[in-house]
């Protein structure tokens, strides 16, 4: 063997030695490196139990395909055959190692880890885990048969046939069996679409429909299984007290009308004892319950065979089973011995016990019940046999109200007057009202149990083959048994006896037992053990289902039920199951409990069909079932049938079950753990999103549907933490979870180098979004420079019609101190790009002083300064903010500016009307401003701005050019007049000096700029006057006269004497600065104490040479305000007065 070959087989040798239990002594040369491999290698069984412990921390499935590569870490792939792939081995393992893990992959039941640890403590060496060996017959067919055939068959099927008739009963059975058959087809498709670990139906539903549906339906399935246990226990007690030991009843009714209540009390007492005993048995020795399962199954099969044998026997030798009839009324043959009015003793005719029940004395001249006097007492055969024509009498239904007398149809009788009472007489009455839908609810539990095979999927040799075959065969077999039993019961048994639920007319005997051969006790004992075993199986399976749900962690408050004994037995879940079972026991009526569990099972089956239909219609690539005989129409039909049966059985129970499932769904959605199971609901959401996005492409939204879809641009520090988290607080207050929110940021560099930083940044942003309760998406891009990255986000964020229409960004507070013009240039370019993209722009100033989501303003105002109309966004934003509890108590005030030719009073009226039509509550105020009162401060501020602009341009020169420029500035400035303004600190040279520029250089540049502006100014203005609120003719004339005076030669000469360097200032900049200064004075005067100030944001100049001046204009405009939100519309109307 060559060296490369030996190295290639090195991994296999290590694994084989590890499997064989060899230590380091059993290895060959070169094993020193492999010892470190063994130390770093995770045992496959331990990894499959806790993949998250060794993976990336993201909850995913315990599968050998997913995130299992940590097992191979540390192994050196030195072979040359796979050298091309060796750098990717940590993510893409070799096929050999993958197959090795697949060979060791097992479907382990819940609690296997604790069970293995217990075995380690008890035995020096852990036993080898045996591979599942159960086949289709033992593993699926027989368990389904045992669960489907049970208490309803023995105790209620004859009664259902008697009430609904053969035809109605046939339809009841057919509908219910069709429902389970369609569900089984859907379940087979899901079960064969990959490995189904222990958990059965819950696992299938949760992984197909997601954790919300899975948890809701899983808990409903658990409740159904638990109430099924209660039903089986009630059936056991009913058989015990009615047919085996009637004398064991604790409560006895002295009045016949109280017999039903006494029976229910006996059921409660004995049922509580039974549930306590069974729970103890399950807690102590569940393995004995499993071993007795075959005994219980044998009881069921022998009982059914005895029924068929008895039916055959009735063809030639029907049993002697007389019924006592008074006229056409059935008598309860318990309180009398002879079915006759008179009997002959010697030569005398004497009255019987029956006479004494209907008459006031035993004498022949006694006063008797009218109906008793008018009709004769006769006997008929209760089981005339299959050869009789009784089947013709039992074809149609005989429904009746509660308390109705059981009467044989077609038998003649003389009616009595209506006022004759029947209370206390030995008649057989119906204990409950009968109708079709009620019988469906009682019968349906008899066809449940189709999940028994899938629940044992972890024990099957080939689950993908056994589950469909065994389940479908079991449903076909049991459906055949039920349908034939309906026909045979109707053909052999008298109708009044069929309707006698408890066998009162035949002295308390079990009707189906009398029909059986060779002895009635075969049915009685067999049904007793069958129902008892089914109850034990429910108490065994339900806690494990609850444990599986609890260990998935999707319902936080159920996690305590995931714990158990050291061997994995679910102790706490068993206690919960026993407690819920006791609720069903206290109901005490089998007929009342059956519809409850029918609801939960039907809901479970409905979602199994929904899961299959969903997966089939979505055609996800992973949907490849081995079972091919399914179709989405069959699944949809099964789902519709389940839903219809829920409301047919009991509409109020159906609503209660749906409310319970809905509450669990919403609880898991809001409080449960997030799980990614690749479920169908996620695929449905993707398809629905795709469909909605395609619909949104049709055109822009109507004004009534417009809402801000935000793109928030965040700045990150060197550790990828958010610099201004209050931006997300403002987003939450503005959006309240509605609409689209994209939180974006830009990292400078290349994606290959900063991929890890991108993941870290996204994680930090998502954590902050969760903390601030901001619902949206995170998008971090890497670009060579920040400007391009922001441009990419503005252009490409969103998808299709679901794109942002508004950009939210914080004002760059340190734009003057940034190294070079890149900072403010990026901001100005962003403003231009949002305008070009027809997107609105929101710029927050002093964002760190904005309130958090936990703060509450007890009062104050939100001031809106409506200078220009650009779509109405300025008025819509404060309304949206006022919906949040932070701003709810703040009042809105709207200010607008009137020019000299405007009518302020009319403007105020029009604005009030406009706000009324917009349904906005706000105070209105009109502010009047003069048009030409340009102040000296305005000129000085403009001068400083332009000097700073010139200084920034000079700093972009090369070093040599800068030295030459400094020399020329020195020469030119020797004769210049240098004036310094010490009145305002903001005008000092230090304020204009960018970081890192020598003071002498900055001084020389300033001197040169001052000398360049030494000519006379073109336009002058007086100092600012007071602000007026209402224009009048007198005030307009006075202002015009004052303006003329201010432009006199004396006034011009005085101002020229003040600042000779103002002469060559750019008049456009002077006007812009004048607007900013005047507006700032008015806004500060009115809104300095406001909680928030919103105002129109002017656009940048078309000439890019003045971009740095634009930043100064905005700075002046918002100076002296605490919280400012500058708003720039997107060019379209966003608010309307129309409905």
């Amino acid at each position: 063997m060559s060296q490369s070959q030996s190295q290639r087989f090195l991994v296999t040798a290590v694994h084989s030695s590890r499997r064989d239990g060899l230590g380091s002594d059993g290895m060959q040369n070169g094993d020193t490196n492999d010892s470190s491999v063994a130390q770093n290698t995770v045992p496959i069984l331990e990894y499959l139990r806790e993949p998250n412990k060794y993976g990336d921390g993201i909850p995913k499935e315990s599968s050998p395909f997913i995130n299992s590569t940590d097992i191979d870490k540390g192994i050196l792939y030195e072979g040359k055959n796979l050298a091309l792939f060796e750098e990717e081995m940590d993510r893409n393992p070799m096929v050999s190692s993958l197959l090795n893990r697949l060979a060791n992959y097992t479907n382990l039941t819940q609690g296997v880890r604790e069970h293995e640890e217990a075995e380690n403590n008890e035995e020096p060496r852990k036993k080898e885990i045996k591979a599942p060996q159960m086949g289709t017959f033992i593993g699926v067919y027989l368990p389904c048969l045992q669960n489907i055939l049970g208490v309803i068959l023995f105790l209620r099927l004859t009664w259902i046939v008697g009430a609904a008739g053969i035809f109605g009963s046939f339809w009841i059975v057919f509908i219910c069996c069709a429902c389970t058959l369609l569900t089984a087809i859907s379940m087979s498709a899901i079960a064969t679409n990959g490995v189904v670990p222990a958990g059965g139906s819950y696992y299938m539903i949760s992984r197909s429909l997601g954790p919300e549906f899975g948890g809701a339906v899983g808990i409903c399935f658990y409740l159904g299984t638990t109430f099924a246990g209660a039903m089986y226990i009630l059936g056991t007690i009913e058989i015990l007290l009615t047919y085996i030991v009637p004398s064991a009843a604790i409560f006895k009714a002295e009045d016949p009308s109280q017999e039903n209540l006494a029976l229910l009390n006996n059921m409660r007492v004995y049922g509580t004892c039974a549930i306590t005993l069974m729970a103890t048995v399950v807690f102590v020795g569940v393995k004995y319950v499993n071993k007795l399962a075959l005994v219980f199954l044998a009881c069921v099969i022998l009982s059914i065979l005895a029924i068929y044998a008895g039916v055959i026997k009735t063809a030639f030798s029907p049993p002697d089973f007389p019924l006592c009839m008074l006229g056409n009324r059935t008598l309860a043959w318990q309180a009398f011995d002879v079915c006759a009015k008179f009997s002959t003793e010697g030569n005398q005719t004497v009255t019987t016990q029956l006479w004494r029940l209907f008459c006031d004395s035993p004498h022949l001249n006694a006063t008797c019940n009218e109906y008793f006097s008018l009709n004769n007492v006769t006997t008929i055969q209760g089981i005339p046999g299959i050869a009789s024509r009784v089947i013709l009498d039992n074809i149609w239904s005989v429904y009746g109200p509660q308390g109705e007398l059981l009467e044989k149809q077609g038998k003649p009788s003389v009616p009595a007057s209506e006022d004759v009472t029947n209370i206390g007489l030995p008649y057989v009455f119906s204990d409950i009202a009968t109708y079709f839908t009620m019988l469906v609810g009682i019968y349906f539990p008899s066809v449940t149990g189709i999940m028994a095979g899938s629940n044992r999927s972890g024990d099957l040799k080939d689950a993908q083959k056994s589950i469909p075959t065994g389940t479908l065969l079991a449903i076909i077999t049991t459906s055949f048994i039920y349908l034939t039993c309906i026909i045979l019961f109707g053909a052999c048994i008298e109708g009044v006896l069929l309707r006698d639920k408890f066998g009162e007319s035949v002295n308390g005997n079990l009707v189906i037992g009398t029909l059986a051969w060779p002895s009635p006790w075969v049915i009685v004992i067999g049904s007793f053990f069958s129902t008892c075993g089914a109850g034990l199986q429910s108490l065994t399976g339900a806690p494990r289902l609850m444990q599986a749900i609890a260990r998935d962690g999707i319902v936080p408050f159920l996690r305590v039920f995931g714990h158990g004994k050291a061997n994995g037995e679910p102790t706490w879940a068993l206690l919960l199951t026993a407690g819920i079972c006791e609720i069903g026991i206290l109901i005490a009526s089998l007929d009342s409990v059956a519809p409850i569990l029918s609801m939960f099972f039907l809901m479970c089956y409905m979602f199994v069909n929904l899961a299959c239909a969903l997966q089939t219609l979505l055609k996800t690539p992973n949907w490849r079932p081995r079972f091919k005989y399914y179709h989405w129409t069959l699944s949809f039909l099964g789902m519709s049938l389940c839903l219809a049966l829920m409301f047919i059985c009991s509409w109020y129970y159906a609503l209660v079950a749906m409310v319970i499932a809905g509450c669990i769904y919403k609880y898991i959605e809001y409080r449960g753990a997030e799980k990614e199971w690749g479920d169908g609901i996620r695929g449905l959401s993707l398809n629905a999103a795709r469909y909605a996005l395609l619909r949104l492409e049709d055109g822009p939204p109507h004004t009534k549907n417009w809402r801000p879809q935000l793109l928030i641009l965040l700045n990150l520090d060197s550790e990828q933490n958010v610099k201004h988290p209050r931006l997300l607080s403002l987003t939450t207050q503005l959006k309240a979870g509605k609409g689209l929110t994209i939180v974006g940021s830009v990292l400078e560099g290349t994606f290959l180098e900063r991929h890890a930083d991108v993941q870290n940044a996204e994680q930090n942003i998502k954590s902050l979004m969760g903390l601030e309760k901001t619902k949206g998406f995170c998008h971090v891009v890497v670009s060579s420079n920040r400007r391009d990255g922001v441009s990419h986000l503005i252009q490409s964020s969103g998808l299709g019609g679901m794109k942002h229409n508004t950009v939210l960004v914080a004002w760059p507070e340190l734009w003057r101190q940034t190294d070079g013009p890149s900072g403010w240039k990026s901001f100005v370019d962003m403003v231009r790009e949002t305008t070009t993209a027809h997107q609105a722009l929101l710029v927050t100033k002093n964002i760190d002083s904005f309130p958090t989501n936990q703060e509450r303003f007890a009062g104050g105002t939100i001031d809106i300064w409506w200078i220009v109309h650009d779509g109405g966004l300025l008025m819509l934003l404060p309304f949206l903010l006022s919906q949040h509890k932070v701003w709810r108590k703040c009042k809105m005030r709207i200010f607008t500016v009137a020019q000299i030719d405007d009518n302020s009073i009319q403007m105020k009226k029009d604005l009030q009307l406009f706000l009324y039509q917009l349904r906005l509550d706000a105070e209105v105020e009109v502010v009047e401003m003069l048009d030409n009162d340009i102040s000296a401060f305005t000129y000085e501020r403009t001068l400083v701005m332009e000097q700073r602009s010139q200084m920034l341009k000079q700093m972009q020169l090369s070093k040599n050019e800068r030295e030459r420029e400094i020399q020329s500035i020195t020469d030119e400035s020797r004769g210049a007049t240098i004036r310094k303004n010490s009145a305002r600190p903001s005008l000092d040279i230090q304020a204009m000096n960018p970081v890192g520029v020598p003071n002498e250089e900055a001084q020389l540049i300033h001197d040169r700029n001052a000398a360049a502006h030494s000519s006379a100014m073109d336009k002058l203005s007086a100092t600012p006057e007071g602000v007026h609120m209402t224009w009048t003719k007198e005030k307009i004339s006075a202002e015009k006269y004052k303006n003329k005076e201010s432009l006199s030669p004396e006034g011009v000469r005085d101002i020229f004497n003040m600042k000779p360097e103002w002469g060559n200032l750019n008049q456009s900049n002077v006007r812009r600065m004048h607007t900013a200064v005047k507006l700032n004075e008015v806004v500060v005067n009115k809104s300095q104490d406001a909680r928030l100030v919103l105002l129109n944001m002017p656009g940048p100049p078309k000439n890019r040479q003045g971009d740095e001046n634009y930043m100064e204009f905005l700075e002046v405009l918002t100076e002296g305000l605490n919280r400012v939100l500058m708003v720039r519309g997107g060019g379209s109307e966003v608010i309307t007065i129309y409905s």
Side-chain angles (χ1 to χ4, degrees):
M1 184 182 295
S2 65
Q3 182 181 1
S4 62
Q5 290 174 323
S6 64
Q7 291 171 343
R8 184 171 46 175
F9 286 99
L10 177 62
V11 178
T12 307
V14 172
H15 281 282
S16 63
S17 65
R18 193 174 297 128
R19 287 195 300 269
D20 296 337
L22 296 177
S24 58
D25 298 336
M27 294 184 180
Q28 303 297 325
N29 295 333
D31 291 343
T32 56
N33 291 336
D34 296 338
S35 63
S36 63
V37 175
Q39 292 175 0
N40 295 329
T41 304
V42 180
I44 182 66
L45 202 59
E46 186 176 351
Y47 176 82
L48 291 175
R49 279 194 306 264
E50 294 185 291
N52 301 333
K53 182 177 179 182
Y54 308 100
D56 53 7
I58 302 174
K60 294 177 182 175
E61 291 304 309
S62 302
S63 167
F65 296 99
I66 305 172
N67 287 347
S68 301
T69 55
D70 290 343
I71 300 170
D72 297 318
K73 282 187 178 180
I75 297 176
L76 301 177
Y77 296 95
E78 298 175 357
K80 297 179 180 178
N81 291 341
L82 295 178
L84 186 61
F85 302 96
E86 62 184 6
E87 292 184 354
E88 298 180 352
M89 287 295 182
D90 57 341
R91 299 188 306 272
N92 305 325
M94 289 194 304
V95 175
S96 59
S97 60
L98 175 65
L99 295 177
N100 182 36
R101 286 196 296 276
L102 282 175
N104 294 328
Y105 180 71
T106 55
N107 295 327
L108 301 176
T109 56
Q110 298 290 343
V112 69
R113 179 180 183 183
E114 292 84 350
H115 187 63
E116 289 178 355
E117 291 175 352
E119 287 183 342
N120 285 332
N121 295 333
E122 294 174 2
E123 302 177 10
R125 185 174 180 179
K126 185 167 62 176
K127 296 180 181 179
E128 183 181 356
I129 299 176
K130 295 182 179 180
Q133 296 295 331
M134 298 181 71
T136 302
F137 186 75
I138 298 295
V140 181
Y141 180 75
L142 291 182
C144 287
L145 212 64
Q146 179 185 1
N147 280 269
I148 295 174
L149 300 173
V151 61
I152 301 297
L153 172 64
F154 300 119
L155 297 183
R156 292 293 182 269
L157 190 59
T158 54
W159 173 67
I160 291 174
V161 174
I166 296 175
F167 186 77
S169 302
F170 191 92
W171 274 109
I172 291 174
V173 173
F174 178 79
I175 292 173
C176 295
C177 290
C179 176
T180 56
L181 182 64
L182 293 172
T183 303
I185 292 174
S186 300
M187 184 192 68
S188 299
I190 298 175
T192 57
N193 187 52
V195 179
V196 180
S201 55
Y202 161 71
Y203 182 91
M204 291 189 296
I205 296 172
S206 61
R207 269 55 177 182
S208 297
L209 295 178
E212 294 86 2
F213 276 109
V217 180
I219 292 176
C220 286
F221 188 55
Y222 163 76
L223 293 175
T225 307
T226 304
F227 275 103
M231 184 188 73
Y232 292 133
I233 293 172
L234 290 175
T236 303
I237 303 305
E238 183 177 318
I239 293 172
L240 178 69
L241 296 180
T242 307
Y243 305 114
I244 299 179
V245 193
S247 59
I250 299 175
F251 300 92
K252 300 183 184 295
E254 297 178 358
D255 187 357
S257 62
Q258 301 296 321
E259 288 182 358
N260 191 31
L261 180 60
L263 176 62
L264 295 180
N265 289 330
N266 286 319
M267 301 278 276
R268 293 185 179 103
V269 173
Y270 279 98
T272 303
C273 297
I275 185 65
T276 305
L277 179 62
M278 288 184 178
T280 305
V281 171
V282 172
F283 177 77
V284 174
V286 68
K287 57 183 178 181
Y288 301 110
V289 176
N290 293 329
K291 290 180 179 179
L292 290 174
L294 286 177
V295 177
F296 299 142
L297 177 62
C299 293
V300 174
I301 295 176
L302 288 176
S303 300
I304 293 173
L305 293 177
I307 293 172
Y308 282 111
V311 170
I312 296 173
K313 181 178 177 293
T314 62
F316 51 87
S317 177
D320 184 18
F321 205 53
L323 300 178
C324 187
M325 307 291 296
L326 176 61
N328 63 351
R329 298 178 180 179
T330 308
L331 298 179
W333 204 333
Q334 292 176 334
F336 57 92
D337 52 355
V338 179
C339 182
K341 294 182 180 181
F342 313 102
S343 63
T344 303
E345 295 182 359
N347 293 326
Q348 294 183 351
T349 300
V350 296
T351 57
T352 60
Q353 293 179 351
L354 183 61
W355 176 279
R356 299 186 185 98
L357 294 174
F358 283 92
C359 302
D360 56 2
S361 72
H363 303 294
L364 294 175
N365 59 353
T367 303
C368 298
N369 178 270
E370 181 182 357
Y371 188 85
F372 181 78
S373 302
L374 295 176
N375 292 275
N376 295 325
V377 177
T378 58
T379 59
I380 60 174
Q381 282 298 323
I383 304 180
I386 196 171
S388 66
R389 299 176 59 87
V390 71
I391 189 173
L392 300 177
D393 299 331
N394 294 329
I395 290 179
W396 307 111
S397 61
V398 186
Y399 299 124
Q402 181 179 1
E404 183 187 39
L405 293 169
L406 298 188
E407 298 178 347
K408 177 176 171 56
Q409 294 181 335
K411 187 176 178 62
S413 67
V414 179
S417 58
E418 295 181 358
D419 57 348
V420 176
T421 179
N422 297 316
I423 299 176
L425 299 179
Y427 291 124
V428 179
F429 299 93
S430 59
D431 62 330
I432 59 174
T434 55
Y435 44 91
F436 181 82
T437 57
M438 186 270 293
L439 295 178
V440 172
I442 293 176
Y443 172 76
F444 187 81
S446 65
V447 297
T448 59
I450 62 174
M451 300 289 188
S454 63
N455 289 340
R456 297 176 179 228
S457 56
D459 301 324
L460 300 175
K461 183 188 300 183
D462 186 359
Q464 297 189 10
K465 176 183 177 183
S466 298
I467 289 178
T469 306
T471 305
L472 293 175
L473 283 178
I475 291 176
I476 293 172
T477 303
T478 53
S479 300
F480 174 79
I481 292 173
Y482 279 122
L483 292 174
T484 54
C485 283
I486 286 173
I487 297 174
L488 294 177
F489 291 163
C492 296
I493 304 174
E494 184 64 48
V496 288
L497 183 57
L498 288 172
R499 299 197 297 277
D500 185 4
K501 184 188 294 185
F502 301 108
E504 297 176 68
S505 61
V506 288
N507 202 17
N509 290 317
L510 184 61
V511 177
I512 196 173
T514 307
L515 176 65
W517 181 86
S519 170
W521 287 102
V522 175
I523 298 294
V524 173
I525 301 300
S527 60
F528 176 80
F529 282 109
S530 171
T531 52
C532 183
L536 284 172
Q537 292 286 350
S538 296
L539 287 178
T540 304
R544 280 158 178 74
L545 180 60
M546 172 54 67
Q547 188 181 46
I549 298 172
R551 289 190 173 181
D552 263 347
I554 58 176
V555 185
F557 70 86
L558 293 180
R559 287 175 182 167
V560 65
F561 299 108
H563 305 296
K565 295 194 295 186
N567 62 350
E569 291 300 321
T571 308
W572 294 105
L574 177 62
L575 290 176
L576 177 65
T577 302
I580 298 175
C581 246
E582 179 62 22
I583 297 175
I585 297 296
L586 295 177
I587 296 176
S589 173
L590 182 69
D591 302 320
S592 300
V593 174
I596 296 176
L597 65 101
S598 295
M599 292 302 110
F600 292 122
F601 277 121
L602 279 168
M603 183 167 290
C604 178
Y605 296 165
M606 180 178 68
F607 281 102
V608 169
N609 286 293
L610 174 62
C612 181
L614 200 61
Q615 298 279 25
T616 306
L617 289 174
L618 291 178
K619 297 180 180 179
T620 54
N622 191 54
W623 179 247
R624 303 184 302 275
R626 291 187 179 276
F627 181 77
K628 302 299 183 183
Y629 305 102
Y630 70 93
H631 195 268
W632 69 269
T633 54
L634 295 178
S635 300
F636 187 79
L637 179 62
M639 181 183 68
S640 304
L641 195 55
C642 289
L643 184 63
L645 282 175
M646 287 178 65
F647 285 91
I648 286 175
C649 296
S650 176
W651 64 268
Y652 45 90
Y653 278 157
L655 291 178
V656 170
M658 294 175 118
V659 167
I660 292 174
C663 292
I664 298 171
Y665 178 93
K666 298 304 291 185
Y667 177 82
I668 296 174
E669 185 179 23
Y670 285 106
R671 295 293 303 277
E674 293 185 3
K675 302 284 184 180
E676 177 51 62
W677 287 335
D679 51 88
I681 293 297
R682 185 173 177 83
L684 181 64
S685 300
L686 290 173
N687 271 16
R690 170 184 168 275
Y691 175 77
L693 287 173
L694 291 175
R695 289 286 303 273
L696 286 175
E697 286 286 354
D698 293 344
H702 192 273
T703 304
K704 291 186 289 186
N705 296 327
W706 194 97
R707 66 167 58 247
Q709 317 286 3
L710 290 181
L711 168 63
I712 300 98
L713 299 178
L714 296 179
N715 291 329
L716 305 177
D717 58 18
S718 59
E719 299 297 328
Q720 286 80 50
N721 294 318
V722 178
K723 288 185 178 180
H724 303 296
R726 299 291 177 89
L727 267 178
L728 294 181
S729 302
L730 178 62
T731 302
T732 302
Q733 297 158 20
L734 190 62
K735 299 284 290 179
K738 305 296 191 301
L740 175 68
T741 301
I742 303 175
V743 182
S745 186
V746 179
L747 298 180
E748 294 188 7
T750 62
F751 184 71
L752 293 177
E753 296 174 351
R754 307 209 61 181
H755 175 63
D757 293 339
V758 169
Q759 291 183 325
N760 185 30
E762 288 185 346
Q763 185 64 34
N764 293 340
I765 293 175
K766 288 179 180 178
S767 299
L768 185 60
M769 290 173 67
L771 189 64
E772 298 291 344
K773 298 181 180 179
T774 304
K775 296 182 179 180
F777 308 97
C778 177
H779 191 191
V780 178
V781 298
V782 180
S783 180
S784 58
N785 58 76
R786 177 172 176 79
R787 180 194 175 284
D788 291 344
V790 170
S791 178
H792 295 158
L793 284 174
I794 293 175
Q795 295 178 60
S796 61
S797 293
L799 181 64
M802 198 65 175
K803 294 180 68 69
H804 64 277
N805 54 27
T806 306
V807 178
L808 174 62
V809 67
W811 171 259
E813 303 287 349
L814 304 178
W815 65 274
R816 288 195 182 99
Q817 282 76 33
T818 53
D819 187 12
S822 59
W824 53 264
K825 277 201 171 185
S826 297
F827 180 83
V828 178
D829 287 340
M830 180 199 65
V831 176
R832 286 195 174 97
E833 286 171 353
T834 55
T835 304
T836 304
H838 300 289
Q839 296 173 4
L841 177 63
L842 310 180
V843 180
T844 61
K845 194 172 182 186
N846 302 324
I847 182 61
D848 294 329
S849 66
F850 274 62
T852 63
N853 292 327
Q854 287 71 37
E855 295 182 39
R856 303 288 183 272
F857 286 140
T861 61
I862 300 177
D863 288 359
I864 303 104
W865 285 87
W866 192 19
I867 312 300
V868 295
H869 179 66
D870 53 359
L873 181 60
L874 201 65
M875 288 176 288
L876 183 62
L877 290 177
F879 168 76
L880 296 175
L881 284 175
S882 64
Q883 305 303 304
H884 196 273
K885 48 193 172 184
V886 173
W887 306 90
R888 190 167 294 159
K889 295 184 179 180
C890 295
K891 295 182 179 180
M892 289 172 54
R893 295 194 304 178
I894 296 184
F895 297 89
T896 190
V897 175
Q899 300 298 322
I900 194 169
D901 296 329
D902 295 329
N903 187 336
S904 304
I905 298 176
Q906 188 61 38
M907 281 182 64
K908 185 173 182 179
K909 291 181 180 179
D910 294 341
L911 183 54
Q912 288 174 337
L913 177 61
F914 183 59
L915 292 178
Y916 176 79
Q917 293 173 336
L918 289 176
R919 292 88 65 200
L920 295 177
D921 295 326
E923 297 180 10
V924 175
E925 194 166 340
V926 179
V927 178
E928 300 167 348
M929 291 179 58
L930 302 180
D931 191 27
N932 54 355
D933 50 349
I934 301 177
S935 64
F937 173 71
T938 301
Y939 280 102
E940 190 65 31
R941 194 71 184 256
T942 309
L943 174 64
V944 173
M945 178 185 69
E946 293 193 357
Q947 288 178 346
R948 182 182 183 279
S949 175
Q950 186 66 21
M951 186 188 306
L952 291 173
K953 292 178 182 179
Q954 298 298 332
M955 286 189 299
Q956 297 177 35
L957 302 174
S958 65
K959 184 178 179 180
N960 295 332
E961 292 174 337
R962 186 179 302 171
E963 291 176 354
R964 291 196 300 269
E965 186 70 19
I966 291 174
Q967 183 62 40
S968 65
I969 293 174
T970 305
D971 296 338
E972 292 178 6
S973 61
R974 285 175 180 171
T977 302
I978 303 175
R979 302 179 182 271
K980 298 180 180 178
N981 187 359
S982 58
R984 299 175 68 96
S986 61
L987 302 181
D988 191 50
I989 294 177
Q990 293 295 332
M992 300 183 297
N993 185 9
V995 178
V997 181
N999 287 335
E1000 301 128 0
E1001 180 179 342
Q1003 179 64 51
L1004 291 175
I1005 296 175
H1006 174 266
D1007 293 341
R1008 182 196 177 196
N1009 293 337
H1013 296 291
S1014 59
S1015 61
M1017 55 190 294
D1018 294 332
K1019 293 183 181 179
L1020 299 173
S1021 142
T1023 57
E1025 298 293 337
V1027 178
H1028 303 282
M1029 293 307 301
T1030 306
W1031 289 105
T1032 62
K1033 293 182 178 180
E1034 294 78 6
K1035 290 165 64 178
I1036 293 174
S1037 302
E1039 292 297 335
K1040 289 182 178 179
Y1041 178 74
K1042 188 187 301 181
N1043 294 336
K1044 290 180 180 179
E1045 286 185 345
S1046 65
L1047 294 176
S1048 63
E1050 292 79 10
V1052 173
R1053 186 164 52 250
D1054 291 339
I1055 296 179
F1056 266 104
N1057 291 334
M1058 290 177 60
K1059 292 290 183 180
E1061 63 266 31
W1062 290 350
N1064 285 344
L1065 286 178
N1066 187 316
Q1067 293 307 303
S1068 176
N1069 289 339
V1070 173
R1071 289 194 304 272
R1072 289 173 182 267
M1073 182 62 74
H1074 167 64
T1075 303
V1077 171
K1078 289 301 296 179
L1079 272 179
N1080 177 256
E1081 288 179 357
V1082 175
V1083 173
V1084 170
N1085 182 39
K1086 295 290 184 179
S1087 304
Q1088 190 169 14
D1089 298 327
R1091 299 294 187 183
L1092 178 65
V1093 176
L1094 293 92
L1095 50 82
N1096 290 110
M1097 178 180 178
K1102 296 181 179 180
N1103 184 6
R1104 290 180 175 270
Q1105 300 299 324
D1107 285 355
E1108 64 274 13
N1109 300 335
Y1110 174 68
M1111 299 294 290
E1112 190 70 34
F1113 295 146
L1114 296 181
E1115 192 74 57
V1116 173
L1117 181 62
T1118 57
E1119 203 169 37
L1121 298 174
N1122 185 18
R1123 302 183 190 93
V1124 182
L1125 182 61
M1126 292 184 283
V1127 180
R1128 184 163 174 77
S1132 60
E1133 291 292 334
V1134 301
I1135 194 167
T1136 178
I1137 63 175
Y1138 300 104
S1139 61

